[in-house]
Coordinates of all heavy atoms in Angstrom, one line a residue:
E82 N 14.0 17.6 -23.6 CA 14.5 16.3 -23.7 C 13.4 15.3 -24.0 O 13.6 14.2 -24.6 CB 15.2 15.9 -22.4 CG 16.4 16.8 -22.2 CD 17.5 16.3 -21.2 OE1 17.2 15.3 -20.5 OE2 18.5 16.9 -21.1
F83 N 12.1 15.6 -23.5 CA 11.0 14.7 -23.8 C 10.7 14.8 -25.3 O 10.3 13.8 -25.9 CB 9.8 15.0 -23.0 CG 8.7 14.0 -23.1 CD1 9.0 12.6 -22.8 CD2 7.5 14.3 -23.5 CE1 8.0 11.7 -22.9 CE2 6.4 13.4 -23.6 CZ 6.7 12.1 -23.3
E85 N 12.7 15.5 -27.7 CA 13.8 15.1 -28.6 C 13.6 13.6 -29.1 O 13.5 12.7 -28.3 CB 15.1 15.2 -27.8 CG 16.4 14.9 -28.7 CD 17.6 15.1 -27.9 OE1 17.6 15.5 -26.7 OE2 18.7 14.7 -28.4
D86 N 13.7 13.5 -30.4 CA 13.6 12.1 -31.0 C 12.4 11.3 -30.4 O 12.6 10.2 -30.0 CB 14.9 11.4 -30.8 CG 15.1 10.3 -31.9 OD1 14.4 10.3 -32.9 OD2 16.0 9.4 -31.6
R87 N 11.2 11.9 -30.4 CA 10.1 11.3 -29.8 C 9.7 10.0 -30.4 O 9.8 9.8 -31.6 CB 8.9 12.3 -29.9 CG 8.8 13.4 -28.8 CD 8.6 12.8 -27.4 NE 7.4 11.9 -27.3 CZ 6.2 12.4 -27.1 NH1 6.0 13.7 -27.0 NH2 5.2 11.5 -27.0
H88 N 9.2 9.1 -29.5 CA 8.6 7.9 -29.9 C 7.3 7.7 -29.2 O 7.2 8.2 -28.0 CB 9.6 6.7 -29.5 CG 9.1 5.4 -30.0 ND1 8.2 4.6 -29.3 CD2 9.5 4.7 -31.1 CE1 8.0 3.5 -30.0 NE2 8.8 3.5 -31.1
P89 N 6.3 7.1 -29.7 CA 5.0 6.9 -29.1 C 5.1 6.2 -27.7 O 4.2 6.4 -26.8 CB 4.2 6.1 -30.1 CG 4.8 6.3 -31.4 CD 6.3 6.5 -31.1
D90 N 6.1 5.4 -27.5 CA 6.2 4.7 -26.2 C 7.1 5.4 -25.2 O 7.4 4.9 -24.1 CB 6.8 3.3 -26.4 CG 5.8 2.4 -27.2 OD1 4.6 2.6 -27.0 OD2 6.2 1.5 -27.9
D91 N 7.5 6.7 -25.5 CA 8.2 7.5 -24.5 C 7.2 7.8 -23.4 O 6.0 7.9 -23.6 CB 8.7 8.8 -25.1 CG 9.9 8.6 -26.0 OD1 10.4 7.5 -26.1 OD2 10.2 9.6 -26.7
V92 N 7.7 7.9 -22.1 CA 6.9 8.1 -21.0 C 7.5 9.3 -20.2 O 8.7 9.4 -20.0 CB 6.9 6.9 -20.1 CG1 6.1 7.1 -18.8 CG2 6.3 5.7 -20.8
L93 N 6.6 10.2 -19.7 CA 6.9 11.3 -18.8 C 6.1 11.3 -17.6 O 4.8 11.3 -17.7 CB 6.8 12.6 -19.5 CG 7.2 13.9 -18.7 CD1 8.6 13.9 -18.4 CD2 6.8 15.1 -19.5
M116 N 11.6 10.0 -16.7 CA 11.3 10.0 -18.2 C 11.9 8.7 -18.8 O 13.0 8.4 -18.4 CB 12.0 11.2 -18.8 CG 11.8 11.3 -20.3 SD 12.8 12.7 -21.1 CE 12.2 14.1 -20.2
F117 N 11.2 8.1 -19.6 CA 11.7 6.9 -20.4 C 11.7 7.2 -21.8 O 10.7 7.6 -22.4 CB 10.8 5.7 -20.1 CG 11.2 4.5 -20.9 CD1 12.4 3.9 -20.6 CD2 10.4 4.0 -21.9 CE1 12.8 2.7 -21.3 CE2 10.8 2.8 -22.6 CZ 12.0 2.2 -22.3
K118 N 12.9 7.1 -22.4 CA 13.1 7.3 -23.9 C 13.3 5.9 -24.5 O 14.2 5.2 -24.3 CB 14.3 8.2 -24.1 CG 14.2 9.6 -23.6 CD 13.1 10.4 -24.1 CE 13.3 10.8 -25.6 NZ 12.2 11.6 -26.1
F119 N 12.2 5.6 -25.3 CA 12.1 4.2 -25.8 C 13.3 3.8 -26.8 O 13.8 2.7 -26.7 CB 10.8 4.1 -26.6 CG 10.6 2.7 -27.1 CD1 10.1 1.6 -26.4 CD2 10.9 2.4 -28.5 CE1 9.9 0.4 -26.9 CE2 10.7 1.2 -29.0 CZ 10.2 0.1 -28.2
K120 N 13.7 4.8 -27.6 CA 14.7 4.4 -28.6 C 16.0 4.1 -28.0 O 16.8 3.3 -28.6 CB 14.8 5.6 -29.7 CG 13.6 5.7 -30.6 CD 13.8 6.8 -31.6 CE 12.6 6.9 -32.5 NZ 12.7 8.0 -33.5
T121 N 16.4 4.8 -27.0 CA 17.7 4.6 -26.3 C 17.6 3.7 -25.1 O 18.6 3.3 -24.5 CB 18.3 5.9 -25.9 OG1 17.5 6.5 -24.9 CG2 18.5 6.8 -27.1
K122 N 16.3 3.3 -24.8 CA 16.1 2.4 -23.6 C 16.7 3.0 -22.3 O 17.4 2.3 -21.5 CB 16.6 1.0 -23.8 CG 16.0 0.3 -25.0 CD 14.5 0.0 -24.7 CE 13.8 -0.9 -25.7 NZ 13.6 -0.2 -27.0
T123 N 16.5 4.3 -22.2 CA 17.1 5.1 -21.1 C 16.0 5.6 -20.1 O 15.0 6.2 -20.6 CB 17.9 6.3 -21.6 OG1 19.0 5.8 -22.4 CG2 18.5 7.0 -20.4
L124 N 16.2 5.3 -18.9 CA 15.3 5.8 -17.8 C 16.0 7.0 -17.2 O 17.1 6.9 -16.6 CB 15.0 4.8 -16.8 CG 13.9 5.2 -15.7 CD1 12.5 5.2 -16.4 CD2 13.9 4.2 -14.6
K125 N 15.4 8.2 -17.4 CA 16.0 9.4 -16.8 C 15.3 9.8 -15.6 O 14.1 9.9 -15.5 CB 16.0 10.6 -17.8 CG 16.7 10.3 -19.2 CD 16.7 11.6 -20.0 CE 17.5 11.4 -21.3 NZ 17.8 12.6 -22.0
K158 N 7.4 -2.3 -16.5 CA 7.1 -2.6 -17.9 C 8.0 -1.8 -18.9 O 8.0 -2.1 -20.0 CB 5.6 -2.2 -18.2 CG 4.6 -3.1 -17.5 CD 3.2 -2.7 -17.9 CE 2.1 -3.6 -17.2 NZ 0.8 -3.2 -17.5
L159 N 8.7 -0.8 -18.4 CA 9.5 0.0 -19.3 C 10.8 -0.7 -19.8 O 11.3 -0.3 -20.9 CB 9.9 1.3 -18.6 CG 8.6 2.2 -18.2 CD1 9.1 3.5 -17.5 CD2 7.7 2.5 -19.4
R160 N 11.4 -1.5 -19.0 CA 12.6 -2.3 -19.5 C 13.8 -1.5 -20.0 O 14.2 -1.7 -21.1 CB 12.2 -3.3 -20.6 CG 11.0 -4.2 -20.2 CD 11.5 -5.3 -19.2 NE 10.4 -6.2 -18.9 CZ 10.5 -7.3 -18.1 NH1 11.7 -7.5 -17.6 NH2 9.5 -8.0 -17.9
P161 N 14.3 -0.5 -19.3 CA 15.4 0.3 -19.7 C 16.7 -0.6 -19.6 O 16.8 -1.5 -18.8 CB 15.5 1.5 -18.8 CG 14.9 0.9 -17.5 CD 13.8 0.0 -17.9
T162 N 17.7 -0.2 -20.3 CA 19.0 -0.8 -20.1 C 20.0 0.2 -19.4 O 21.0 -0.3 -18.8 CB 19.7 -1.2 -21.5 OG1 19.8 0.0 -22.3 CG2 18.8 -2.2 -22.2
T163 N 19.7 1.4 -19.5 CA 20.5 2.5 -18.9 C 19.7 3.4 -18.0 O 18.5 3.7 -18.3 CB 21.2 3.3 -20.0 OG1 22.0 2.4 -20.8 CG2 22.1 4.4 -19.4

Side-chain angles (χ1 to χ4, degrees):
E82 297 197 353
F83 189 59
E85 184 178 354
D86 202 16
R87 276 294 305 274
H88 185 278
D90 291 331
D91 286 353
V92 174
L93 180 63
M116 182 188 301
F117 177 65
K118 298 298 288 183
F119 181 82
K120 290 183 179 179
T121 60
K122 297 295 186 289
T123 300
L124 187 71
K125 299 187 175 192
K158 294 181 179 180
L159 298 182
R160 307 284 183 177
T162 58
T163 302

